[in-house]
Each structure stands twice: as C-alpha cells, then as structure tokens.
C-alpha cells in the first residue's frame, strides 16, 4: 500500500488511464451545500495564485482510495475508486464547465483542458472517459464530458453540479471583482491537495476506507493557539494567564476569541490569512521571530487590550460616545462583520490619539455609505472581505485617518457608487429584491429619520414592515390606472413589474392587511394617520402611479445623497457593464425546463425590455439567451443568434424543446414554465434569501396580552377577508392534520401579511427545523401555499433532488396543480382554494404525511 499527497493534475493528467467508480458505490450525491464550500475554497486559492502570495499553501480536499481494477492492463491502467468518487466527479465537472465556458473565445485552451483531464483522446466508447462513473450516473456524466448535453434533461446530481459551475463562472466575470478563469483552473488542478492511497490487489481497501473516515471532535484554532502560547511561556505563564488571558477568555466566547485572534493577524499585516489557518500563521510568525516570553506576553496583552474594542463591535451599547455608539448600532444592524478589520483599526487609532470621536464618526459614515450605496446599486458583496481586510495595510499615512479611509474606499475597483449612479438606481432598480430584509428596513428607517420629525418614531419598539404602496398583486383598478401610463411597447402588467419593487414605491408601516391591496384612495386614509412623515407625504398625493413613484424616488435620492457621503471624484467606473453582468448570471442560472420574457428580465434588472433585447442580440456567449421570449411565449421577430457557431441551431423552437420547454397548441411556450422577475431574483438569492430561516421567524405563539390578537388569529382574519369560508375551513383541516403528525404551526410577525409555516423540528432551534410550505393570505388575489423547494435543498434529507421531485409529483396529483420540474429550484405557489375539494385535500394530506415520514426516517437513522 502507498499513501502520498498529490494534486488533481498529477493524479489525472499525463497518460492514458481510467478511474472507475464501482457499480456498488452510491450515485453522485453532492448538493449545493458541498458545491458552495468547494467553490469558496477554489476561489480563495485562485486569489492566492493571482496575487502570487503564499504559493506553498494548498487546500487539503480529502482522500482518494484506489485499488487496481480487474480490467487493468499494462497499456491502459484502470483503477477502482473505493473512496473519493464525489470529489473526482465534482472536479471533473468543474473542469468541463471551464472548458465549455472558454470554448468560444479560446478553443485551443478548451481542447487542452479536455485532453489533459477529461478524456483519453485515442480511446473510444467508455474507455474515452478519464473518469468512469457508476452506471446510474454514466449517461449524464458522459453527455457533459462529450458536450452532448442538449436534450439530456435535468434532475440528476451530475447535471445540477455542472450547471452550478457554469453559473459560478459567469459570476466570476463580475467587473466588481473579476476572476481569471484560467486562475480558477489552476486552483482546481494545482492547489487542491489530495491524499492518494493506492492499494495492492490483496490489501483490504475497505478497512482503509473506514480508518480514513473515523473522525473525532477537533480542537478549534483558538484552542490550538492558546495551548501553543502557554506551552512556550515559562516563568510568567501563570501570572499572564490570570492577569490577561482569563479575563479575555471570560469576556468572549471561544468563537469570538478565535475571530479576535484572526483580526489581530490582519491588523499586524497578514491580510490574506484565512481564519481556518490562524494557528499555523501565528505560529509561523512566532517561530520566524524566535519569540520568547517577552514577545508572547506582549501579544497576549495586545489581545486583552483589543478585546474591549472588539466587544464594542459585538455590543455597541458598551461604546461611551453617543454618536459613535449610534453609528456602530447601524453597522451591527446591517450585519457588517466584513468591516471588522477597518473598525478595529479605527478603535486602535482613537486609543492612540490619532483620531478623535468626531473623526471616528466621519470614518464610520464613510463605511456605512460604502455598504448602503453598494446595496442600493446592487454591487455584489463577494469582494467585501478582501476590501476591508486590506484596509490596515493600505490606509494612506499622509492624511488624517478618516480622510485616508475615504480616499482608500474611493479608489479604483472598490465600486463605491457615486451620486449619479445612486440617483439612477433609486429610480429604476428593484430595491426590494436585493440585500437582506434588515438592510432594506434600515435604509427606509434612515430616510424617514432624515425628515427630522419633532416626535421621532421609536423604531426599536415599533413593529414596522416594508410596504408596497402600489401592491405586489394589483387588482383591476390598479391595472386600469397603469394602462393610462403604458405605451404600445409595454403592457400595464410589465409596467407594474418594472416599478413595484423600486425604492420610490416602498415605505414602512405597521397597519393591518385588509387594505394592503386595495385602491390607493383607501390606502390614503391609513397613511394619513401614520406617525411616519414619509407616509403622510404619500397620502398627500392625489393618485399613485409611475409618475408619482419616480417623483418620490427623486426626493428620496436627494435625501440619500445627503445621508450617505459620496466617494471622491475621478474614479473610473463600469456600472452599466455590471448591470448586464447580472443579466448574464441569472440567465446562466435558469433551470432546465424554464423560460423568461424580455419584460421579466428587464424588471429584474431595472431596465427596459428593448434594451434587454438589443443587448442579447449583440452580445456573443450569453448562456441561455435564446430562452428569453416575448411575454406571449414566442420567439421575438428580431431574434438572431449572436455567434456563427449558434447559427447551426437555426430552429430556436427545437433548441427550446430540447431544453424541456413545452409548447401549447397555439405554438407559444407553456406559461406555467415562465419565470417572473421575482422568480429570477430568487434564483440568485438561492437558499441565502431572507425567508430561508423559516424556523427563526415562524415561532410558536407566546402568551398574548388580554384582548390582544394572536398571530394565528390575525392570519385567519386576513385569510377570511379574501377567501371563502370553505377555503378557511380547508386550511384549518390541513393545520389540524399537520399537528396530528407531530408538526407545529408557526406564524410570521408581519402585520401587512401574516404567514403560516408548516414546521417540523424543534421550535426556536435555527438550522434544525424544516417546513414544506408557507401559507399566505391573498390580500385581494386569493391565498396561496408557497412550496419551498428552494429551502428544502439546503436541509437533509431533501438535499436529495429525487426526494424533492417525488414531493413535486405528489403535489401535481392534485386537480388544478401543474408545477413544472424547472421550479424545483424555486418556490412555486398553489392556490389555497384548491384545498376545498375533498379529493385534493386527501392527496395533500398524504403528501404531507409522506414528507413527515421522510424527515422522521432521516432523524432516526
């Protein structure tokens, strides 16, 4: 037996050979959770390659156990993959995605990747594959490796993984943080370390497999570093432990202490170190300096001193200066942990007398503005950690601290939007679809505070939610009003989709839901009685349509420009390119069997449908561009393939059919498979979306004050205001059955719309619960049950797509339900009125029972 560390490149390339996954192995089963973690590791290694830093530090991916195949021969070595097939399959699919991503612009490079890692060029049939998966995965894997995936369909883990990497490669082209695709290839092939255990024929490879997977509880990085420090200390160890370390350890949790230790490294200039490499990095620093007791004591005293600074980030109420305290509270509410290196630097400079509290408030305002303006303008957050980790080492020393921070954050490639971009995005961007709910609420809160109301609202006590003035589900009166503003190129529905989520149409309110979808005239009475100045101003207008939304957007933009300072002038930008980058990302994420329209894509971008059409027609290489159709589901008369290679697919309908799009008798794409602007937004939000933590928001009822309305009562009152008594009773029956299965009904805190979650698992235990559906009152359009496939995908056992597909099949058995397979990645709706029918309710209860049984079997296994 031989065990050695190797790299994917060394294992796979260089000669004709094959790695065979035995038929008894399980099928490919990595889910988005594992894929995301791997991608983060790849991206981090690609960054190290690009910066030419830490060349010797690879990322350990795991083990691969190999044994000679019975089919092995001297001229064509074949190996059985006893352990590690998930890693090898995933990396092969990632390289296939890179090959296809560069095929148009660099065909010779695509051929190189193919021949080095994926195929045996001179072999045929199954022997042509460098990796031969188990029989169940073979057809899908072969189709992706040979580039014949069109028409293969979706549904397998292999197809999901390949699509994941195609989407990530498009995201990597983001101008705010561009990544070189060949650096990514280099990270995969030469920066991911594997331990290859190669057995002889007589070795017990299964015993090897068991020993490699026998894991125990690991010490944290903080534990390892603490042990190292006090093993090195000699004479003064007990004094240092009692005086400095014990108070430090008592003031912070172990996780917080580890974070502080990592921040200390960053402040000392090691701005590229990963938190999981903290121990090794700090140990190396001590060894290089030949540190003795004096240096180690100085380090621990520094940690002790800076722990007070760190606690103020975690607990802003401990900051004595009221202005600084308020600024820290806003950043804490924003969940701005990425900014901690910069904030710790500001505390340190203030303590050293290089910055007073007024200057610190100014510096914190720049940081808040940087975050808020980027969020409003939809700049991706994926480079925030790098930006703020670099602050201690890059802060200019020739100007005061706050001004230096202003200059640094304004520099090229930081993408701090200027006033012109901020104003334009407030007018057109779908603000409600970006950022997290607490960030959107904070923006609206700050705008309300800017009016200087003589009796300010207590936002901490007020139960305010974000309200759409023009509702998300407009009734006929709203649509008639919009038709007066629509032109021939845009329907009232498309106009509504384009402006409903913009900042000019949003406000804060605590009013009840009965009037939330009613005409504007009825809303005015509620808004006039509001204590919020922004609501009184909305109520003072005579009507509410696109003109009023844009007028209010301009007013809010003026206030935003005053609230959040601008970057310094003179920085070159590429905002429009970034908008189109967002379009490329969402089209790359379109699930198999779905399409969208020019209007939907325009509403998602905050653009116009004609501009979208022009861009797609004139931009080569946009994945799935042909799946953008007219609102009627037809290929646009002006459609043309953007590249000569695509012209071989002259029959667009045939290409769409191969991608799972169904067509009606009239020749239009099936409207059930169409993705709206909101669903496009959900595709990029993934399982990180606001409502992904249903077990946090869907709490059991707490004891209510006498005569106070409970959340459950509010839910049913809102439901009854819009749906029939039969629907209300059907919902009650579903709830009763769910509770008889051992589940519980949780309710969201919303007053405008109070949701109901069908929950399993322990109440109040984040990450441990699961829910198949969330029910919403209709507020004018009829109540719906949202089937949360998107969130199931992050929770066992429903990370298995086959289980989600089975649940979909059971729901589609209900009369009137037709959810396409493509929406297994999303949150499709079912009308609650369908539950009135006895046979439908029986089928639903059977489906819910099946869901509970799958959950129970997972927890009891």
């Amino acid at each position: 037996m031989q065990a050695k560390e190797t790299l994917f490149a060394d294992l796979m390339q260089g000669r004709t050979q094959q790695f065979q996954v035995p038929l008894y192995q399980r099928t490919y089963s990595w889910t988005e959770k594992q894929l995301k973690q791997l991608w983060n590791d790849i991206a981090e290694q690609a960054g190290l390659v690009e910066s030419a830093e830490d060349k010797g530090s690879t990322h350990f991916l795991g083990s691969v156990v190999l044994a000679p195949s019975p089919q092995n021969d001297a001229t064509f070595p074949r190996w059985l993959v006893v352990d590690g097939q998930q890693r090898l399959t995933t990396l092969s699919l990632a390289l296939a995605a890179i090959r296809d991503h560069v095929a148009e612009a660099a065909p010779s490079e695509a051929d190189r990747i193919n021949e080095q890692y994926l195929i045996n060029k001179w072999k045929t049939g199954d022997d042509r594959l460098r990796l031969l998966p188990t029989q169940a995965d073979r057809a899908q894997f072969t189709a992706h490796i040979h580039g014949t995936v069109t028409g293969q369909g979706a549904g397998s883990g292999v197809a999901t993984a390949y699509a994941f990497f195609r989407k990530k490669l498009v995201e990597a082209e983001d101008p705010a943080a561009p990544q070189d695709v060949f650096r990514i290839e280099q990270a995969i092939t030469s920066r991911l370390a594997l331990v290859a255990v190669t057995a002889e024929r007589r070795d017990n490879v299964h015993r090897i497999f068991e020993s490699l997977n026998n894991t125990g509880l690991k010490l944290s990085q903080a534990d390892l570093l603490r042990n190292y420090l006090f093993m090195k200390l000699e004479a003064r160890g007990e004094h240092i432990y009692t005086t400095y370390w014990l108070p430090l350890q008592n003031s912070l949790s172990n996780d917080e202490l580890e974070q502080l230790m990592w921040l200390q490294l960053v402040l000392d200039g090691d701005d590229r170190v990963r938190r999981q490499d903290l121990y090794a990095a700090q140990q190396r620093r001590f060894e290089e300096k030949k540190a003795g007791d004096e240096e180690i004591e100085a380090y621990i005293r520094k940690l002790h001193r800076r722990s007070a600074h760190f606690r103020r980030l975690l607990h802003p109420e401990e900051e004595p200066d009221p202005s600084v305290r308020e600024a820290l509270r806003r950043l804490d509410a924003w969940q701005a942990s990425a900014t901690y290196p910069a904030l710790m630097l500001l505390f340190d400079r203030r303590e050293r007398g290089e910055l007073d509290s007024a200057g610190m408030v100014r510096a914190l305002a720049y940081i808040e503005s940087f975050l808020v303006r980027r969020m409003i303008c939809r700049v991706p957050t994926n480079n925030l950690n790098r930006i703020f980790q670099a602050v201690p080492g890059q802060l200019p020393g020739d100007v005061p601290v706050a001004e230096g921070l202003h200059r640094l954050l304004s520099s090229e490639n930081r993408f701090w939007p200027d006033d012109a971009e901020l104003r334009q995005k407030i007018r057109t961007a779908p603000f409600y679809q970006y950022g997290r709910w607490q960030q959107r609420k904070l923006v609206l809160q700050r705008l309300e505070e800017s009016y200087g109301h003589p009796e300010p609202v207590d936002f901490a006590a007020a139960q305010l939610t974000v309200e759409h003035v023009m509702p998300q589900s407009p009734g006929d009166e709203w649509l008639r009003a919009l038709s007066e503003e629509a032109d021939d190129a845009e329907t009232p529905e498309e106009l509504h989709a384009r402006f409903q989520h913009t900042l000019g149409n949003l406000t804060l309110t605590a009013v009840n839901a009965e009037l939330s979808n009613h005409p504007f005239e009825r809303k005015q009475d509620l808004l006039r009685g509001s204590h919020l100045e922004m609501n009184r101003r909305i109520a003072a207008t005579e009507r509410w349509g696109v003109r009023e939304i844009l007028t209010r957007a301009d007013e809010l933009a003026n206030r935003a420009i005053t609230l959040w300072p601008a970057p310094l002038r003179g920085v070159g930008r590429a905002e429009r390119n970034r908008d189109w980058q967002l379009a490329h990302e969402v089209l790359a994420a379109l699930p198999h069997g779905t399409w969208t329209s020019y209007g939907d894509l325009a509403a998602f971008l905050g653009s116009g449908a004609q501009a979208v059409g022009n861009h797609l027609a004139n931009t080569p290489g946009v994945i799935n561009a042909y799946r953008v159709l007219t609102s009627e589901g037809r290929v646009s008369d002006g459609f043309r393939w953007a590249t000569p290679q695509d012209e071989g697919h002259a029959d667009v309908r045939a290409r769409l059919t191969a991608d799972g799009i169904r067509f009606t008798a009239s020749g239009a794409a099936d409207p059930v498979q169409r993705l709206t602007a909101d669903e496009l937004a959900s595709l990029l939000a993934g399982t990180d979306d606001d409502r992904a933590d249903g077990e946090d928001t869907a709490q059991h009822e707490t004891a209510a004050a006498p005569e106070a309305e409970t959340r459950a009562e509010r839910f049913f009152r809102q439901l009854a205001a819009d749906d029939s008594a039969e629907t209300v009773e059907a919902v009650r029956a579903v709830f009763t059955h769910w509770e008889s299965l051992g589940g519980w009904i949780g309710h969201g805190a919303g007053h405008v719309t109070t949701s109901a979650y069908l929950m399993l698992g322990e109440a109040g235990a984040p990450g441990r619960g699961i829910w198949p559906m969330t029910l919403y009152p209709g507020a004018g359009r009829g109540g719906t049950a949202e089937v949360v496939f998107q969130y199931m995908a992050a929770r066992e056992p429903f990370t298995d797509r086959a289980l989600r597909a089975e649940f979909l099949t059971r729901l589609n058995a209900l009369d009137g339900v037709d959810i396409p397979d493509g929406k297994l990645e999303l949150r499709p709706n079912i009308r609650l009125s369908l539950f009135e029918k006895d046979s439908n309710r029986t089928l639903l209860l059977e489906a819910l029972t099946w869901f509970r049984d799958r959950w129970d079997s997972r927890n009891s296994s």
Side-chain angles (χ1 to χ4, degrees):
M1 185 201 317
Q2 296 180 356
K4 66 174 183 178
E5 184 171 321
T6 188
L7 300 169
F8 185 82
D10 297 332
L11 188 68
M12 298 293 284
Q13 74 179 11
R15 61 173 177 167
T16 298
Q17 61 178 334
Q18 187 173 73
F19 298 89
Q20 301 174 341
V21 180
L23 297 180
Y24 58 78
Q25 287 272 24
R26 62 177 176 168
T27 57
Y28 181 74
S29 59
W30 270 25
T31 66
E32 188 166 322
K33 180 180 180 180
Q34 289 89 14
L35 295 172
K36 277 184 176 179
Q37 181 59 57
L38 174 61
W39 178 259
N40 290 339
D41 294 334
I42 291 170
E44 186 171 57
Q45 289 297 322
L48 292 175
V49 170
E50 188 172 359
S51 63
E53 294 184 21
D54 202 13
K55 290 184 178 179
S57 177
T58 57
H59 174 75
F60 178 62
L61 192 61
S63 61
V64 177
V65 180
L66 305 173
S69 169
Q71 301 171 330
N72 191 28
D73 63 55
T75 60
F76 186 26
R78 295 179 173 93
W79 303 94
L80 292 181
V81 182
V82 180
D83 181 39
Q85 66 125 331
Q86 305 289 333
R87 300 181 187 95
L88 294 184
T89 305
T90 305
L91 295 178
S92 297
L93 290 168
L95 288 168
I98 291 174
R99 175 201 64 194
D100 295 344
H101 185 81
V102 304
E104 182 182 320
S108 61
E109 292 292 339
D111 290 341
R112 175 187 59 77
I113 293 169
N114 207 36
E115 294 173 16
Q116 282 185 333
Y117 306 112
L118 302 176
I119 67 167
N120 296 309
K121 184 175 181 181
W122 307 112
K123 295 291 183 179
T124 59
D126 286 346
D127 288 350
R128 190 170 175 82
L129 295 173
R130 194 71 59 94
L131 175 68
L132 185 68
T134 189
Q135 190 69 37
D137 290 325
R138 197 164 296 171
Q140 278 281 327
F141 185 82
T142 301
H144 284 87
I145 297 303
H146 291 335
T148 57
V149 71
T150 299
Q152 283 291 319
S156 75
V158 167
T160 300
Y162 174 83
F164 172 87
F165 288 115
R166 288 302 304 266
K167 180 176 73 171
K168 288 298 181 184
L169 290 168
V170 174
E171 290 177 12
E173 296 176 334
D174 176 13
Q179 295 170 282
D180 185 288
V181 67
F182 295 111
R183 299 291 191 207
I184 294 172
E185 179 208 343
Q186 187 177 349
I188 292 172
T189 58
S190 304
R191 301 282 300 189
L192 301 181
L194 298 161
V195 169
V197 179
T198 307
E200 301 296 336
R201 285 193 182 277
R202 295 179 181 178
D203 289 332
N204 188 334
V205 292
H206 294 288
R207 182 68 57 84
I208 300 168
F209 171 74
E210 289 173 4
S211 65
L212 285 170
N213 285 277
N214 182 20
T215 58
L217 182 65
K218 294 182 179 179
L219 293 173
S220 72
Q221 293 288 299
D223 293 331
L224 291 169
L225 186 52
R226 178 199 60 215
N227 294 349
Y228 170 81
L229 294 172
F230 284 97
M231 284 177 64
K232 295 279 288 183
L233 284 170
E234 297 178 1
R236 291 172 53 80
E238 186 171 341
H239 170 74
I240 295 169
Y241 184 86
T242 304
T243 308
Y244 302 113
W245 188 270
L246 197 56
L248 170 64
Q249 193 168 268
N250 289 337
S251 69
L252 298 172
S253 70
N254 198 60
D255 183 72
E256 292 165 352
L257 179 55
E258 183 174 297
Q259 191 173 14
L260 174 62
M261 289 173 161
W262 172 77
L263 285 167
Q264 181 63 56
L265 264 176
V266 174
L267 291 170
D268 286 343
D270 202 346
D271 67 339
R272 302 289 296 195
V273 68
R274 303 181 303 173
R275 183 168 161 180
Q276 58 264 43
D277 296 332
L278 157 67
Y279 167 64
Q282 188 62 61
Q283 181 189 40
R284 185 168 60 246
R285 289 173 69 91
F286 282 134
E287 297 296 336
E288 289 172 354
K289 294 179 180 178
K290 295 182 171 53
D293 284 13
E294 186 175 338
E295 289 82 6
I296 291 176
E297 179 178 353
Y299 170 75
I300 294 174
R301 290 176 64 181
K302 192 184 295 184
L303 282 178
H304 178 266
R305 177 174 64 85
R306 283 182 166 156
S307 67
H309 301 165
F310 187 51
R311 279 190 59 86
R312 292 176 191 177
L313 304 187
L314 304 175
H315 310 285
E317 64 275 9
E318 296 182 7
E319 165 59 40
D321 185 276
S323 297
V324 174
R325 182 168 63 242
E326 188 58 34
L328 290 175
R329 279 177 176 162
R330 290 196 297 271
L331 290 174
D332 183 57
W334 194 268
Q335 298 182 355
S337 59
T339 67
Y340 283 179
L343 299 183
M344 289 290 288
L345 180 69
L346 294 178
F347 275 115
D348 192 62
R349 294 296 179 88
R350 186 176 67 167
E351 187 173 79
R352 287 157 52 180
E354 298 175 22
L355 180 70
D356 60 15
S357 289
M360 188 164 183
V361 169
R362 196 161 62 253
L364 293 172
Y366 293 138
I367 292 173
E368 180 182 327
S369 173
F370 185 80
L371 297 174
V372 171
R373 285 182 177 235
R374 282 168 59 103
M375 177 264 191
I376 292 175
C377 297
R378 306 204 296 181
V379 180
T381 60
N382 53 3
N383 64 337
L384 279 180
N385 287 326
R386 183 182 299 182
I387 288 172
F388 283 105
Q389 281 175 225
V391 167
Q394 296 181 1
L395 189 71
D398 57 344
V399 292
V401 175
E403 284 62 40
L405 184 64
H406 193 192
R407 181 197 297 177
L408 180 61
L409 293 180
S410 300
S411 58
E412 193 172 3
N413 294 328
R414 295 312 197 275
F415 288 88
W416 185 358
D418 60 16
D419 290 348
E421 185 186 3
L422 181 66
R423 187 181 299 280
Q424 189 258 334
K425 288 297 190 297
I426 287 177
R427 284 176 64 91
T428 62
F431 173 80
Y432 189 72
Q433 291 178 330
Y434 203 74
R436 301 190 65 81
W437 71 267
Q438 71 271 19
Q439 295 170 348
R440 297 192 288 266
K441 186 176 177 181
L442 184 63
V443 168
L444 285 163
Q445 176 182 324
R446 289 277 279 145
L447 290 168
E448 167 63 26
E449 290 170 339
S450 72
Y451 287 100
H453 198 285
E455 298 178 12
V457 173
D458 183 355
F459 286 98
Q463 292 186 328
L464 300 176
T465 57
V466 178
E467 163 79 347
H468 291 70
V469 183
M470 179 175 66
Q472 297 185 73
S473 300
D476 293 337
E477 291 189 43
W478 282 101
L479 292 175
R480 278 197 296 271
L482 284 172
S483 67
E484 298 172 5
E485 297 183 276
D487 55 30
D488 294 340
E490 197 167 28
T491 66
E493 289 81 5
E494 290 172 333
L495 202 62
H496 168 264
R498 188 149 64 91
F499 285 98
Q500 62 169 328
H501 295 316
T502 58
L503 190 54
N505 189 48
L506 301 175
T507 189
L508 294 171
T509 181
V511 299
N512 293 328
E514 299 93 283
L515 300 181
S516 65
N517 278 46
H518 283 284
F520 180 64
E521 291 76 11
R522 297 182 65 181
K523 281 195 166 189
Q524 283 177 300
D525 293 336
L526 285 174
L527 296 172
R528 284 193 191 99
S530 171
H531 195 63
L532 274 65
E533 184 63 27
M534 65 169 63
N535 289 342
R536 295 180 181 181
R537 293 183 177 229
I538 293 170
T541 61
E542 295 183 3
R543 63 182 300 278
W544 195 256
V546 172
R547 287 190 297 274
E548 290 71 26
I549 290 171
L550 289 173
T551 298
R552 181 168 180 263
D554 290 338
E555 179 193 346
L556 295 180
N558 290 335
R559 293 182 173 276
I561 286 168
T562 302
L563 276 173
W564 293 295
L568 296 173
R569 294 180 179 274
V571 178
R573 304 182 186 279
E575 286 78 13
R576 196 61 209 165
N577 289 338
R578 193 172 62 239
D579 287 347
W580 293 128
Q581 170 66 20
L582 201 60
H584 300 172
E585 290 177 20
V586 78
L587 289 179
L590 282 182
H592 183 85
T594 61
W595 62 278
T596 193
S597 74
Y598 294 100
D600 292 319
L601 185 55
F604 166 71
L605 295 173
S607 179
Q610 185 174 355
V612 167
N614 290 338
H615 175 78
L616 295 181
N618 294 295
T619 307
V622 179
I623 299 174
N624 292 327
Y626 59 91
R627 284 208 252 165
V628 183
L629 307 175
T630 68
S631 57
E632 294 80 22
R634 300 182 184 278
V635 178
S636 170
D637 292 338
F639 176 84
R640 65 177 185 272
W641 296 105
T643 62
Q645 296 99 306
D646 284 330
E647 289 176 2
H649 303 290
D651 187 348
V652 183
R653 177 165 169 169
R655 183 77 177 270
L656 292 167
T657 301
D659 282 351
I661 308 298
R662 303 187 299 258
F663 287 86
T664 65
S666 67
D670 190 341
V672 171
Q673 297 178 300
R674 173 179 172 178
L675 299 189
T676 65
D678 287 347
E679 288 173 321
L680 293 177
S682 295
L683 280 179
L684 294 192
T687 54
D688 296 328
D689 189 53
D690 292 344
R691 289 174 288 176
D693 294 322
E695 70 268 34
D696 291 335
T697 57
Q699 299 296 331
H700 276 308
E701 292 285 354
T702 54
E707 300 181 1
E709 184 182 49
T710 66
R711 294 183 185 181
E713 290 169 343
R714 186 162 67 236
F715 170 80
F716 277 108
R717 174 171 56 77
Q718 293 171 1
L719 185 64
D722 193 49
D723 275 285
S724 69
E726 290 77 11
T727 295
V728 174
E729 288 309 306
V731 171
R732 290 187 187 276
V734 171
F735 286 5
T736 299
H737 177 80
W738 185 251
E739 290 172 332
S740 75
L741 296 174
W744 53 280
I745 309 300
H747 292 279
H751 286 258
V752 175
T753 300
T754 302
S755 53
Y757 293 74
L758 304 184
M759 296 296 304
L760 289 170
E762 184 180 345
R768 295 174 60 183
I770 196 169
W771 66 109
M773 290 181 173
T774 309
L775 279 64
Y776 295 95
R781 288 285 179 168
T784 56
E786 182 182 75
V787 188
V788 292
F789 291 122
Q790 193 171 37
Y791 305 149
M792 291 180 210
R795 287 164 167 80
E796 297 290 353
F798 294 96
T799 53
D800 183 348
R801 196 177 192 276
L803 287 180
R804 302 198 305 277
E806 172 66 16
F807 190 49
L808 171 66
T809 299
R810 290 172 177 269
L811 293 176
N812 276 343
L814 276 66
D815 184 25
V817 178
D818 182 18
I819 302 171
D821 289 347
K823 295 198 177 182
L824 268 178
E825 322 298 330
L826 297 167
R827 308 188 302 265
N829 290 319
I830 298 174
R831 287 286 173 197
L832 295 182
S833 57
L834 295 177
F835 300 166
E836 293 180 16
K837 193 174 181 179
D838 290 343
S839 59
N840 272 353
R841 197 161 59 253
T842 298
L843 290 168
L844 173 66
L845 299 182
E846 289 175 355
L848 293 175
T849 303
W850 175 88
F851 185 93
R852 189 282 313 266
D853 290 346
R854 301 289 80 68
W855 168 260
D856 283 352
S857 64
R858 171 261 184 187
N859 283 311
S860 61
S861 59

